Amino acid sequence: MRARRLLAAALGMVLGAGLVSATAAPAQAYRYGEIGKSGWAYTDSHLPNQSFVNPSGDAPIGSWADASGNKHKSRSYFTFDISRFRGTVVHKADLVIAERSAADCTSAQPVELWRTDPITTTTSWESAPRHSELLGTVQAGGPAACPGYLVWDIMPALQKLANQDEQTLTVEIRVPHGDEGKLSHGRKLKPYPVIRSETNHAPTVEQIGLDYPTWACGTKDNPQPVGPRNYGLMIRGKDADANDFNFNGQFAAWPVGQEDQRSEQFGSSYGGTLAKLSWNMSQYPDGTVVAWTARAYDGHDYSAWADPCYVKVDAQRPSAPVVTSVKYPNDRQPHGGAGVPGTFTFTANGSPDVVGYYWGRYGETYHYIPAPEPGAAVTLEYTPRSFVERLSVRSVDSASNSSEVTNYEFYVRSTAPGVRVTVGGVGLPSQLSISNSVEGVTEFGYQVGDGDEVRVPADADGTTDVSVVFPQTGLVKVQVRSYVGTELVGAHTEDVSVRDTPFVTSEDFAFPDHDGVVDRAGSFTFRPGRTGVVAYEYGFLNDEMRRLDAAADGTAVLRWTPTEPNWYVLNVRSISADGTVSEVEQYQFNVIDTKPTVYSSTYYESGAWGGVGIPGEFHFDTAMPDVDAYLYRLNDGPEQTVDPEYSWAQVTLTPDRSGSNTLTVRTRFLDGSFSPTRTYPFEVSDAPVVTSTDYPENDSAGQPGRTGRFTFNPGRSDVAEYRYVLEYSGEEQVVAAGADGRATIEITPTHPGYTLLTVTSRAADGTASAERRYYFRVRDPRVNVSSAYDEYTPRGGIGAVGQFGVYTEISEVTTFEYQLNGGAWLSVPKKPNALVTDISVTMDRNGANVFSVRGRTAAGEYTPQTDHPFLVGTAPLVSSTTYPASQWGGGVGVPGEFTFTQGSPGVVEFEYTVDDGQPVTVAANAAGVATATYTPTSEGWQTMRVRGRTADGVWTDTTSYYFLVN
């Protein structure tokens, strides 16, 4: 029994008279609660026969003196309703009461809590409740706050009472007998004790069983057969706590008679109160009977273990079944006929525990036939549809073990009749054209939907035509059969889509055989797709529907003349006399134009484009057949002819005037006739046309400082001057036009890159033309340098060879001249047909270096000099003839010599490491060179890292040397 004393500050709660509360935390199954007293009393030794039941005032314990100096001894009793704890697991229970006063707070004094018989109306000092057990003793006063709180742990006692289904708990609070007569031990308590508790309802087990067969639970005498594979063990539980979200199951299994091999595992929750665990039955030998059980767990408490289930491991697969058929033997000869049913027998082939058979076609086995008793055969009636058929069959025993698949292949006579269904609509005559290639067929049978079969005689040629009526729309199953006498020799089933859409035909608009032509009249004929049609509604493309009344026979003719070429969809639906509206028929066709089409990507039909003297390509095409040539005319010029390539042609035309221009084109056909003329209007910009051979438009040329000539050509006849702005100068310049309307200026670019020259013209009256934007690119004369060596990160060391790629936009350059650190100028020829020329330089100093380069033309002109600063490190050089860098060499067990050369002065030794091996040190000679021998122990990529050390202990940079071992 535990007891404890808690300070008011640590307790952190307010106690009230008759308080009962309960709080549930969402993440916990615990129920947290406080219950107050249901009644109380105290006794007084000074008035030994007087009862004080549910009095007002405080609860005295121990000795105290009244105002007259009379000495009293008291004990206090409290009763609690504990019915709520019935059926729960009590995880925590504290009885807490607050002190009002104490005679002496300086020393710790014991206070006892007893369980007693209930309080009665006559409870008194002389008639006090009988003691049952001491629940605990706490120390009041002393180091604890005084007055404070008294707290007893009553969890074990409360759990025992709950298990005994007790409804109430009565406790006595008193000073121990030895101290009870001492006034210094007297105390007054506030009569509002509470029991603070944390409780939970343990879950219970509703059911345990296998996941397959569902909830199967064998007995010891009749265990459930299982195969040597994983099975799901399942438990379904129940929990009185609505807020339990952590339900799971703990499972246990063991071979019967070998409980020492019991294994326990937790499963996985599947929501609510269901849990599963996959258990591998292949761990047990064939014939083993395994017991298994489970108990529920809600995250806090367990249920009792359920009564065990029993399984018996059957690791023996049944034999592959035997398949036979009298109608369709598997003798590789055709038998029966397509659509003719046959009986197939599946036998267990000596396996007595077969309970059923799975079958299907071509390796699929998803249909199941149960055996009437274990080991019995079954029959299947199956109707083949194709020339070669294969039935796949496997048997399954009571442990769900499957046999190997038996594939039964047989051949079928091609006797199925053919049928062509011509649907006439709903309620209108439709036709079945039935045929058969089998000799001797005397009659056919046909069946529409769920109707009865109708027999009709076959004609002499083995065919017949039958008129049928489909009463409604939808997918209808039509079955046809052929007979020789009374013997069924073939059958065929076809799904027919029956619609009530109108039938639309046209001789003038019939894609792909006959396209419609713009401005050429044509017609469409509408025929009903159901009975009682009195009108049609039609619409082209997305047009609104229009009504067209039908003739007495339900047909109608629509006459129509297309005005535009297009791909058309004609939507048509019928209207019956009773208001029934049919489905929509969409009749699609193409309309072509007799006029040729004209297109230009230089001079579009809308907007002003190009300019006077700027050529443009014009494309001609037509959908009409038999094209001989295209005849075209620009403005009032002469008509010219161009021959087509297939149906299209292309010409280049150069407008000689700004503003409105007109191109007319017509087609000449092989018979000498002509199409109507296509008129293609386009607008030519009146902006000046700029030309320059020094700086061509949208091209790279020249360089900064090199003057170029630009000629402005008039886009209109009244040009008096030109105004132009060079992009980066921003200042508008004016130049007068010559007598021919042209002007030539000189521009000396100052910057490389794309440059915009904007030009407009002005007439004498100030009229301004459109703006011409002339782009040209000025070449950059600098030599560009690219290299892994830069001014930020040191690389290599003295003696290392660095690569520098150089290139320039000046195509006249034939040679590059370079120097290192202001040394002698050296030269290399520019690499032909390549953007970059590579230059190799051997480093001669550590630290800061400068690579300088310039280009030289064949005429001896130089580009500006480019200086490329970079840093050289202190890393040593590494070389090997046996294992050259980044190449295959040597082999496993083949020693190779590696030479290390200092990359900075003063190196006295080198340290090298291969991959993750240990460092090895070798001494350098006076020239800072050392040789090391290394023998690889594995093939493939390897990395040797080498660094040098000077006499004063300073390490150089590290070189990583990569090589491949054969």
Side-chain angles (χ1 to χ4, degrees), residues 21 151 392 495 544 575 652 717 756 783 787 812 822 827 858 865 880:
S21 66
V151 182
S392 299
D495 291 325
E544 292 186 2
I575 309 295
T652 301
S717 59
L756 170 63
V783 177
S787 176
E812 297 90 326
S827 65
Q865 176 177 315
S880 175

Side-chain angles (χ1 to χ4, degrees), residues 540-554:
F540 291 95
L541 298 175
N542 297 317
D543 290 349
E544 292 186 2
M545 302 292 274
R546 300 181 180 181
R547 183 182 174 96
L548 178 65
D549 290 334
D553 61 356

Side-chain angles (χ1 to χ4, degrees), residues 851-867:
F851 172 78
S852 302
V853 63
R854 62 192 181 192
R856 189 183 69 212
T857 67
E861 296 177 339
Y862 284 95
T863 68
Q865 176 177 315
T866 297
D867 292 327

Side-chain angles (χ1 to χ4, degrees), residues 497-554:
S497 177
V498 179
R499 303 180 64 196
D500 64 351
T501 54
F503 295 90
V504 181
T505 58
S506 176
E507 294 183 358
D508 305 305
F509 307 98
F511 180 83
D513 299 325
H514 191 78
D515 289 329
V517 179
V518 170
D519 296 330
R520 184 181 296 174
S523 66
F524 302 89
T525 299
F526 303 158
R527 188 167 58 83
R530 64 179 309 117
T531 58
V533 170
V534 296
Y536 296 91
E537 290 182 336
Y538 70 92
F540 291 95
L541 298 175
N542 297 317
D543 290 349
E544 292 186 2
M545 302 292 274
R546 300 181 180 181
R547 183 182 174 96
L548 178 65
D549 290 334
D553 61 356

Side-chain angles (χ1 to χ4, degrees), residues 449-481:
D450 296 328
D452 296 331
E453 183 184 51
V454 178
R455 299 280 186 94
V456 293
D459 294 339
D461 61 355
T463 65
T464 191
D465 291 331
V466 179
S467 179
V468 297
V469 174
F470 297 108
Q472 59 189 26
T473 61
L475 200 63
V476 179
K477 180 179 292 186
V478 174
Q479 301 178 67
V480 293
R481 303 178 181 88

